[in-house]
Every structure is written in structure tokens, then in C-alpha cells.
Amino acid sequence: MKLPFGRSLQASAMALFCLHSLAGAAQSRQDILLTNDWKFSKGEMPEAARPGFDDAKWPTVSVPHDWAISGPFDGNNDLQKVKIEQNNEQAATQKSGRTGGLPFIGTGWYRRKLVVPEFGPGKRVVLLFDGAMSDAHIYINGQEAGSWPYGYNSFSFDITRLLQPSDNLLAVRLRNQSEASRWYPGAGLYRNVHLIVTDDVQVPVWGSYVTTPEITPEFARVKLRTKVATPGNSFQNLRLETEIRDASGKVMATTSTTLLPTDGQEFEQNLVVPTPQLWSPETPVLYTATSSLFAGSQLKDEYRTRFGIRSFKFEAGKGFSLNGKTRKFKGVCNHHDLGPLGAAINTAALRRQLTLLKDMGCDAIRTSHNMPAPELVELCDEMGFMLMVESFDEWKTPKVKNGYSQYFDQWAEKDLVNMVHHYRNNPSVIMWSIGNEVPDQSTPGGGKIARRLQDIVHREDPTRPVTAGMDRIDAAINNNFASVLDIAGFNYKPAQYEKANDKLPQGFILGTETASTVSSRGEYQFPVVQAKQKQYPNNQSSSYDLEYCSWSQIPDEEFVKQDDLDFVIGEFVWTGFDYLGEPTPYDEKWPSHSSYFGILDLAGLPKDRFYLYRAKWNTAAPTLHLLPHWTWPGREGQTTPVYCYTNAPSAELFVNGKSQGRQTKAPSDQPQSRYRLMWNDVKYQPGSIKVVAYDAQGKAMGEETVRTAGKPHHIKLVADHATLAADGQDLAYVTARVEDANGTLCPEATQQLQIAVSGAGRFRAVANGDATSLEPFQQPRMHAFHGQLVAIVQASDKAGDIKLAVSGKGLKAGNLSLKTTAPAGK
């Protein structure tokens, strides 16, 4: 496939921009996180930008901070009425939990003293915001330094001219409008804020750009372009010395370049790395380029760029290949919130999510439907995930009353440029998405908008393709909207992949958003049948994984197309994790206020569907999972189907030792027969069910047993890891399980559990995965949901032991010890 300007769409290895000052850099560059000592208040206060404003009574908070996550939940918070077509007429439907039922609407102010180390003549100071929700206005000493309306994007302002030699006052005004989102967006300074202090001759924010135009087994050519900024942007005799090191710190290449008057304030350097180690999800190998900027013998700046070496192609008839090997994306879509933490970014929470997804066999993530946090992109570089970085949920035509459409004409190009400059260097980023289900697909001129946005992205990064998630397939094909894009991405259209491929020029199709199957962890409903928009009195969805939305499918229908059609290059499932807001199919029924789409629930606990995808995607490890649970008092003798999710080709089921027959995966008119083993006529009897899996030769390769639970007896605690960094940020996720005396999970246990943390840590939050629970995440107590909940413990900045105790009425308490250790280098 060729881009419009004739360049082969072969993407290069990219770099991760890292601002942190380097060892031995003689303070040439300082990146200071403005984490502590912020004062915060919600409400409109026009005088709050003034240095003399009295904020003594405002609470002190740390950033990242989400002002709304503490609640309380209320169905009237951001109550939205949405027009729908009904019998060819417009009708209004009221969506009470659409944006999560949290109080994020309104204005909020943040203030703090700003001390700039070693500030004086010859220095330059920049504020970099990784994201601020939303409509940010930044003030220094009462004067506005700049504004940025889009809450998901990163932006920076040079504040040098506004600073005083001594103490300064930084104030930030944020405003969230009602009816501006379709999910919970968060509120406040929910991502990190950086104070960057450099010489006035320096590399600006996102000033490096790395590509690898040629990769062979013997060498990789690395092209590094580095911008420089000088006072008045005047030419100076500068020299840039760059060295590339591998992951072990070994120097692989060096070069020195002198800036010429004709270089346009940008160095171009070409280096050669011998016998390159290639980045992939399986081998996420990273290199680092360190560039030292000199004026004569004086070091002016030192700038580090982390990158990976890899190539990829999208080709008609062949699909997608990475490093010369054809593969399909096994991806998920994720919103940015972190469940009980809200939108406030935390690296440990992101790492836990990625660890769970990696175990499932996932290798790709779509940042739905906005720019991601830099911490996520950095972790994807390190852990091996391919990224579709997305920009907008809305263009000129609105989906909600106060959405991005109000900013599109003035800000779309600026937002795209920032997005691309920020992440065009990351090896994990494989493609850009310019939109999700934008109504402009079917409006006059929509294709021209798509072309303009794609051209902007190509201009800033000619190495990666552009896609968009399209849901109006007929309009998108017939008006040439889909033909414009480098990659035709379709949402929920597996039955039309062949038609689309026949009509479109690209020669391949991507499932940009798939499945939207809904389920509640541990919830099973009878009779077991496929159902669309199914609702129950308890506002839950069945975990037999056969319920879905009006626009969507069960996972197996997408699996069939992914397996049978070579031109389909992968899928991004909606969603990896449940998220706050969009509680379909209960978006009109309070108290539902979080989604049911997730493969894992809001607490990060796997639903049954996790194992269906794991059996399909993770071929390196055995998967064997039985459902449902086997504790059904009152269902004795009634039909209770049993499913097995496994990557074995066949299995035999036993109920209390009696065989129910062997099932084998096979193509049929029911897609799920290819991917699930199902015994649909099993009659419930208390005791146990056991499945024995067999390989292709008929040899037993594993077994799984599920037993009927007795009375709740004790609480068992299981931590995702037992040792934390004593950095004040690290988290441990501890699952509390209500079990009987024999250690069997009590699947219907709902006792309220009390959480106590002491020692070198503190209680941070709790969640149980129940989309209808109105219990606050920040209080150390919550009812178990189907026998489980997850407590989040945060390390202090002191090394030592953490003690966690979880208790409940009538239960033997659970106790657990965790340890915090000083981070390396301290």
C-alpha cells in the first residue's frame, strides 16, 4: 500500500521522549513533577488567579487528582436526554448513568507556590501538562500563560517571561460542561504536571524525532532529527553529540554534528546500530539516544530519547506484518479511567491492567477515544503492546450537546499536532486514529474532513498509517469516506467484511471495535439463550457470554471472520476493562453507572469471558476454565448448562464422577461451537463438576474442578504482588475472597467487608465490580459481589511492612503482610 505522496507505508522504529534530567548533566535540564502542595476548591472564583487570594481554607491535594471520584453517586448528575429513532420518529431517552453518576460538572481551581530552582538570566522555564480535564486556563502571578480546551491532550507553555526571581504563584482553572461526554471523563489535574527548567539554548518539548529508514539483520540506520530553540530563535554555532546505547548500557553508535545556518534550527543525524535487536510484543527491546547540546565547550542541554527498532507493513492481500512476520492484532479498546481510582493516572494501576491483558494473550490496545497518558505509552513500549492512538470521538457534527464539536474548527489541527509529536517516537505506536464513529461519515463533506485530518497526521509523521472507527458502513463506503483512510476500520460489522473488502481499495479490513458482549462477573441467568439488549430485575447481565447490544455480537462471530478471512487484520474488543459510565443495556435504569462490556470488571477481576479470549489468543499457555459456579440451592434437577473455555480441542465433563460425554470443537452453523465446549442439558446436583481436557491425539492434558460451596467461613486475601516500592505511589491490589471451610469460593456471598491498613502504607480504594453499587470507592468498607472484592493498598515513601486486615460479620478475618522497599538508587 502507498501513501498519497508515494512513500511505502513501512513504519520505522520510534523513540519515547523522556524529559528527566540525566546523571552527570550538571543540572542542564531539570524535569520536576509538581505533585504535592496543591490547594484545590470547586466553584467559580474569578479572583483565584491573583497571588494575594486567600486559599488557606482550601484542602491540600496531590496531583494527579480527580476531584469527582469520591462522589457521591447520583442519577441526576449529568442527566442526559438522547434523541433516538423510534417508528420513524424522534424520541427522547433519558440516560441517568451515562457518565457514571459522579459530580464532575463545574469549575475547579488549583493553586500552589512555584519555586523555580536556579532561575535567572539565561534560563528558560516551561510548564508541561500531560492532561487537564478540561478547558484549562493557566495563570502565573495573576497573568494568563495560555489555555487548552481539550481535556485529553498534552500541552505546554513557556512561562519564563511571567516569572519573578523569588516565589511565584501558579493557578489553574478547569471547567467541565454538562452533556460534554458519553462516559466518565474525570475532573481536575488528573495527569502529571511538569516544571521543566533549562538553559535558554535547549531542545524544546517533544523536540526529537527518530526513524529507522533501513533495517537488516546486520544493521539498522537510525535517523535522528533534533530541534533547538535559542533566544529570539537566532542562529548560534551549536554542536550536538549523540550516542545510542542498548538496554544494557553498551554504546552502539556515536556521532557529532555542527548546526549550519541553513539547517533551520534542526539537527539531522544518521547513525548505524549493528545487529539490531527488534522490538515486538514478544521482545520489547529498547534503545536510548542521549544527545548533548554544546555551544563551544559549554554544555547547554542534554536530552534523552528512548526508542525501539522495528518495521511493519500493511499490504493488500497480505495484511499486517511486523518485522517481516504476518500477524493479526489481538487487541482491546480501553477508556482512560482506572475504575475506583477514577481518572487520576497511576503507573502501578496501569501496569496491573497490562499484566492481566498480557496473560490473556492481548497484544494491542486502542486508546478509546482520546489521547492516552504518557505513562501508558511508556509501559506499552516496555511490556510489549501495539497501540492505536486515537484522537477524537467527535468532529464537526455533535454527538452530545457540548462535545468536541464546539472546538473542532479552531483546535483540531493543534490537537493532532500535539498528539503526533508527543507519541510519534514510541515503538509501541503502530497507527493513528483520527476519529470514532463520527456522524460526519454520512454528512456532505465528511470525506474531505477525513482527508484533511489524515494529511495533517501524514505531514507530522509520514511513517505510520491512519484509520478511524466507522460504524455507518454503507454511507462510509458509498461516499468514499472509507476509501480515504490508509486503514479501513469498522466497528461491529463482521458480517459485512467481505462486502467492504470487495468495494474498498486498501485490500484489508480492521475490526476497530468488536463484540460489545455484556456480562456481570459471577452472574448466571436461566434459561441460557442468546439475547440482545436483555435486561433483568437486578440490573445485571448473564456471564454465559451470550448477551450483547443492539449493534453488536458475541465474541465468536468476530472470531470466525478473523480466522477465515486473511484480509481481516485483527480486532480491538470493546472493552478490556469495565469503565465508569455507559451502563448499556441499563443506561436508562439507575443505579447502573458503570459498563458491562469489560472482559475484566471494574475491580480488575476476570469475568468468564477473559478465559474465552485467553483460550483463543494465548497459545503459549494452557487455558481450562469451567462455568458456571456450582452452588445452586433450589435448582436441583433443573437444566444448568456447563461451558468450558479451553485451548484444548476436546474435553469430557463429569458431574459427581458421572460422565456427561466428550465435546469437540468443530465448525457448525453456530459460531460458538468452534470456540466453546458446551454441555447444554446438564441437570444440577450439589457436589462437583470436573472437566478433563484432551489434546489432538486424545491424551489428557489437564483438568479443572468446581465444587458446591458450603456456608461462608473465612476471608482469603490474595495480593497481585507482595513487595512494593516505597515511593508513595506504588499499589498492591488485594483480592478478598469469601470462602467456605474447605476453601471454595462462596459465589453468592454479599457480606460487607471492613478493611484496615497499618504500617508503611495506607488504604487507597476498594471496588467489587458491581455496576449497580453506590458504595463509595474511598471508604474502607464495601459489600462483596459474588463473593469477592478488591482492596487497593498504597505504599508510603518509607520502607517497611504493611499490615492488611479484612473482616466481616460471621467470618474469620483475613490478614496479609506486604513489604515496601526503597526504590533503586535511593
Side-chain angles (χ1 to χ4, degrees):
M1 177 182 175
K2 300 286 185 180
L3 289 176
F5 36 84
R7 177 165 179 165
S8 174
L9 215 157
Q10 171 148 344
S12 305
M14 297 289 117
L16 172 64
F17 172 59
C18 185
L19 282 166
H20 299 294
S21 58
L22 306 176
Q27 299 271 325
S28 61
R29 171 178 291 265
Q30 297 180 74
D31 182 346
I32 302 164
L33 286 180
L34 301 181
T35 301
N36 300 316
D37 303 321
W38 290 87
K39 291 287 190 175
F40 169 75
S41 182
K42 192 174 177 181
E44 186 56 85
M45 287 164 274
E47 298 299 307
R50 290 192 303 104
F53 181 83
D54 184 6
D55 59 14
K57 294 183 179 180
W58 290 12
T60 301
V61 301
S62 60
V63 168
H65 177 247
D66 182 343
W67 84 51
I69 191 59
S70 58
F73 294 104
D74 190 321
N76 293 310
N77 284 331
D78 199 29
L79 189 65
Q80 296 188 20
K81 289 187 177 181
V82 179
K83 292 181 179 179
I84 60 172
E85 291 288 340
Q86 204 172 69
N87 299 323
N88 296 320
E89 295 182 0
Q90 290 281 342
T93 174
Q94 189 161 285
K95 296 183 179 291
S96 55
R98 191 182 204 194
T99 50
L102 288 164
F104 67 92
I105 304 302
T107 299
W109 281 90
Y110 292 83
R111 288 167 48 93
R112 62 160 289 157
K113 291 181 179 179
L114 192 65
V115 178
V116 182
E118 301 180 13
F119 177 67
K123 290 292 185 178
R124 179 169 292 188
V125 183
V126 169
L127 279 174
L128 170 62
F129 291 78
D130 290 341
M133 191 61 68
S134 56
D135 189 20
H137 290 257
I138 315 303
Y139 300 89
I140 301 294
N141 299 323
Q143 298 184 64
E144 185 165 356
S147 63
W148 204 278
Y150 196 26
Y152 292 106
N153 214 346
S154 300
F155 57 91
S156 64
F157 299 118
D158 187 325
I159 60 171
T160 309
R161 63 180 176 84
L162 301 176
L163 292 173
Q164 300 170 166
S166 55
D167 290 350
N168 295 273
L169 190 284
L170 166 61
V172 180
R173 177 187 182 272
L174 301 171
R175 178 181 66 109
N176 280 346
Q177 296 176 271
S178 62
E179 297 184 67
S181 182
R182 300 188 300 119
W183 56 85
Y184 177 66
L189 293 176
Y190 72 111
R191 293 179 181 170
N192 278 306
V193 181
H194 305 251
L195 178 70
I196 303 165
V197 185
T198 65
D199 196 290
D200 60 6
V201 176
Q202 40 90 40
V203 179
V205 171
W206 310 322
S208 67
Y209 182 29
V210 173
T211 58
T212 55
E214 185 177 3
I215 301 172
T216 74
E218 292 76 30
F219 66 88
R221 297 192 185 277
V222 179
K223 181 178 180 179
L224 176 62
R225 289 162 48 190
T226 306
K227 294 181 181 295
V228 292
T230 60
N233 207 33
S234 60
F235 172 77
Q236 294 189 20
N237 292 314
L238 301 174
R239 184 178 77 261
L240 191 69
E241 295 183 356
T242 296
E243 65 178 20
I244 294 176
R245 295 177 181 264
D246 65 11
S248 69
K250 181 181 178 182
V251 176
M252 306 301 294
T254 62
T255 192
S256 179
T257 307
T258 300
L259 188 68
L260 300 176
T262 55
D263 287 337
Q265 298 292 80
E266 182 176 88
F267 288 93
E268 181 175 314
Q269 297 178 310
N270 293 280
L271 303 94
V272 175
V273 173
T275 57
Q277 300 179 68
L278 302 185
W279 186 96
S280 74
E282 295 71 34
T283 59
V285 179
L286 297 170
Y287 291 83
T288 302
T290 301
S291 299
S292 300
L293 181 64
F294 289 91
S297 61
Q298 184 180 4
L299 177 65
K300 289 292 188 179
D301 199 2
E302 202 160 36
Y303 196 89
R304 180 182 294 172
T305 305
R306 198 175 66 169
F307 67 99
I309 297 173
R310 51 98 177 104
S311 64
F312 60 76
K313 293 182 180 179
F314 293 85
E315 299 174 283
K318 296 181 181 179
F320 170 70
S321 62
L322 178 68
N323 298 327
K325 297 179 180 179
T326 300
R327 61 189 297 159
K328 297 195 178 193
F329 294 99
K330 298 180 291 187
V332 299
C333 303
N334 270 344
H335 272 311
H336 71 300
D337 80 67
L338 294 170
L341 302 182
I345 203 67
N346 181 279
T347 300
L350 290 171
R351 184 180 291 110
R352 176 189 182 239
Q353 286 194 342
L354 295 179
T355 299
L356 291 164
L357 292 176
K358 180 71 76 169
D359 179 62
M360 188 175 70
C362 174
D363 66 9
I365 294 170
R366 176 189 183 212
T367 68
S368 316
H369 300 294
N370 41 259
M371 298 81 172
E375 290 84 356
L376 173 64
V377 182
E378 183 173 354
L379 283 171
C380 288
D381 286 343
E382 296 171 0
M383 298 176 67
F385 287 86
M386 298 179 287
L387 283 173
M388 178 201 301
V389 173
E390 194 155 77
S391 52
F392 308 124
D393 186 53
E394 205 175 88
W395 292 354
K396 290 178 73 69
T397 306
K399 294 181 182 180
V400 289
K401 180 181 177 181
N402 295 310
Y404 188 77
S405 60
Q406 65 185 308
Y407 305 121
F408 183 84
D409 287 338
Q410 182 181 353
W411 287 93
E413 181 169 0
K414 299 173 188 176
D415 277 317
L416 283 177
V417 169
N418 273 23
M419 177 186 78
V420 174
H421 284 191
H422 197 171
Y423 299 121
R424 66 183 175 181
N425 296 329
N426 294 75
S428 57
V429 178
I430 301 296
M431 68 185 92
W432 308 106
S433 170
I434 54 175
N436 169 66
E437 297 182 357
V438 293
D440 309 75
Q441 293 167 82
S442 52
T443 60
K448 292 181 179 179
I449 299 174
R451 169 69 76 184
R452 180 171 67 87
L453 298 180
Q454 181 168 263
D455 286 349
I456 293 168
V457 174
H458 286 164
R459 182 191 72 206
E460 304 302 324
D461 175 27
T463 71
R464 289 184 181 85
V466 173
T467 188
M470 296 175 283
D471 61 331
R472 306 182 183 195
I473 188 168
D474 290 329
I477 291 174
N478 294 334
N479 67 14
N480 294 320
F481 186 101
S483 300
V484 165
L485 300 167
D486 298 327
I487 299 173
F490 289 105
N491 295 1
Y492 310 109
K493 298 296 182 288
Q496 300 186 66
Y497 284 160
E498 291 96 331
K499 178 185 77 173
N501 191 58
D502 287 344
K503 292 186 176 182
L504 293 175
Q506 292 92 341
F508 47 83
I509 297 290
L510 175 62
T512 37
E513 192 170 312
T514 64
S516 270
T517 305
V518 291
S519 63
S520 305
R521 175 184 51 79
E523 181 78 19
Y524 305 95
Q525 296 287 346
F526 306 96
V528 177
V529 294
Q530 285 197 50
K532 181 188 298 186
Q533 296 291 121
K534 183 67 175 178
Q535 296 187 3
Y536 302 97
N538 66 354
N539 280 31
Q540 304 294 346
S541 294
S542 178
S543 199
Y544 274 102
D545 302 322
L546 292 172
E547 296 178 4
Y548 52 102
C549 303
S550 58
W551 63 84
S552 65
Q553 302 85 29
I554 59 173
D556 321 60
E557 293 183 33
E558 185 71 34
F559 288 167
V560 168
K561 299 299 184 179
Q562 295 290 332
D563 286 346
D564 292 355
L565 302 177
D566 290 339
F567 62 82
V568 179
I569 62 174
E571 66 169 317
F572 289 83
V573 182
W574 191 265
T575 53
F577 290 81
D578 277 339
Y579 55 93
L580 293 164
E582 287 195 311
T584 310
Y586 298 104
D587 51 356
E588 299 174 39
K589 294 185 66 176
W590 187 256
S592 293
H593 58 275
S594 64
S595 79
Y596 300 77
F597 300 117
I599 297 171
L600 299 101
D601 70 18
L602 200 69
L605 293 173
K607 302 180 186 179
D608 291 298
R609 225 174 333 135
F610 176 92
Y611 301 97
L612 178 61
Y613 282 99
R614 191 180 193 272
K616 178 73 168 61
W617 285 354
N618 189 345
T619 58
T623 296
L624 189 58
H625 176 74
L626 272 178
L627 65 132
H629 64 73
W630 209 240
T631 305
W632 297 105
R635 284 195 62 81
E636 290 80 3
Q638 296 184 45
T639 300
T640 307
V642 176
Y643 288 5
C644 175
Y645 296 157
T646 180
N647 46 18
S650 64
E652 185 175 8
L653 177 69
F654 299 86
V655 177
N656 295 333
K658 184 178 180 180
S659 176
Q660 307 297 302
R662 185 182 295 192
Q663 296 287 341
T664 301
K665 296 176 186 175
S668 75
D669 57 353
Q670 290 186 327
Q672 62 266 35
S673 297
R674 290 176 63 171
Y675 306 101
R676 318 181 192 204
L677 299 175
M678 300 175 291
W679 292 264
N680 289 315
D681 299 320
V682 176
K683 300 296 190 291
Y684 173 66
Q685 304 170 31
S688 68
I689 53 175
K690 182 179 77 172
V691 68
V692 178
Y694 301 95
D695 63 17
Q697 289 71 45
K699 181 181 177 181
M701 55 182 292
E703 63 180 54
E704 173 86 1
T705 300
V706 177
R707 293 180 173 85
T708 302
K711 292 182 180 179
H713 175 265
H714 63 266
I715 300 168
K716 180 179 180 179
L717 302 182
V718 181
D720 64 337
H721 60 285
T723 302
L724 290 75
D727 59 3
Q729 297 295 321
D730 202 5
L731 304 175
Y733 283 74
V734 182
T735 302
R737 293 168 48 94
V738 179
E739 296 182 345
D740 70 7
N742 297 316
T744 298
L745 178 71
C746 298
E748 296 306 315
T750 60
Q751 289 95 330
Q752 186 183 69
L753 306 184
Q754 306 284 335
I755 302 159
V757 180
S758 60
R762 67 179 181 89
F763 167 80
R764 174 66 187 271
V766 62
N768 61 11
D770 180 2
T772 71
S773 172
L774 299 181
E775 295 174 282
F777 300 126
Q778 288 71 35
Q779 297 298 318
R781 66 190 66 87
M782 186 170 281
H783 287 81
F785 180 61
H786 289 296
Q788 299 185 83
L789 57 72
V790 173
I792 305 175
V793 177
Q794 183 164 322
S796 72
D797 58 0
K798 306 293 185 184
D801 294 329
I802 304 174
K803 300 295 184 182
L804 171 66
V806 180
S807 59
K809 187 176 181 180
L811 299 170
K812 183 180 178 180
N815 293 278
L816 186 69
S817 292
L818 304 169
K819 184 176 290 293
T820 66
T821 60
K826 290 190 177 181

